[in-house]
Amino acid sequence: MKVFLYLRVSSEEQAKHGYSLDAQEEALRDFCKRNDHIILGVYRDEGISGRKPYTKRPAMVQLLNDLEKVKPDIILFTKLDRWFRNIKEYYRVQDIL
């Protein structure tokens, strides 16, 4: 399976919980290795709230732009709140996908 990896952390969350972008990426890469997935791209939004509009998240915008050129089978993230915390924005991106 061909995949994109999406990582996001706000600086506040990172300080509180120690859940860094590197830790997210390592977990996802391990998952991909165990399941023979091919990573086509890694997208990292650091210090950006999941409540912000997707258009204010540079890596999310790049991921969506890259979908036009590269067709992954799936987009992986460690937890749903890494993808979105704002349900309205979640549905906007789901419509694009």
Side-chain angles (χ1 to χ4, degrees):
M1 191 171 291
K2 298 174 193 164
V3 303
F4 279 173
L5 306 182
Y6 180 75
L7 320 166
R8 185 194 62 76
V9 70
S10 70
S11 56
E12 178 185 319
E13 287 171 329
Q14 188 172 6
K16 261 199 241 179
H17 305 293
Y19 200 59
S20 69
L21 291 176
D22 291 338
Q24 290 177 53
E25 186 169 350
E26 182 179 343
L28 291 173
R29 284 187 179 279
D30 287 346
F31 176 84
C32 290
K33 186 175 181 178
R34 287 191 315 274
N35 292 283
D36 296 321
H37 295 336
I38 299 164
I39 300 170
L40 300 176
V42 178
Y43 302 86
R44 300 168 61 108
D45 274 323
E46 184 169 9
I48 297 182
S49 170
R51 289 183 176 86
K52 285 192 175 193
Y54 77 90
T55 56
K56 301 289 184 190
R57 294 162 62 181
M60 174 66 72
V61 170
Q62 186 62 54
L63 182 151
L64 295 172
N65 288 338
D66 288 352
L67 287 173
E68 309 239 343
K69 300 172 260 177
V70 181
K71 303 291 184 196
D73 297 307
I74 194 166
I75 300 167
L76 297 175
F77 39 87
T78 56
K79 293 176 20 182
L80 186 57
D81 68 356
R82 300 301 87 209
W83 187 239
F84 280 98
R85 287 188 170 227
N86 178 326
I87 196 72
K88 183 177 170 184
E89 290 298 309
Y90 168 84
Y91 283 119
R92 285 184 176 153
V93 169
Q94 290 305 108
D95 283 344
I96 294 168
L97 294 175

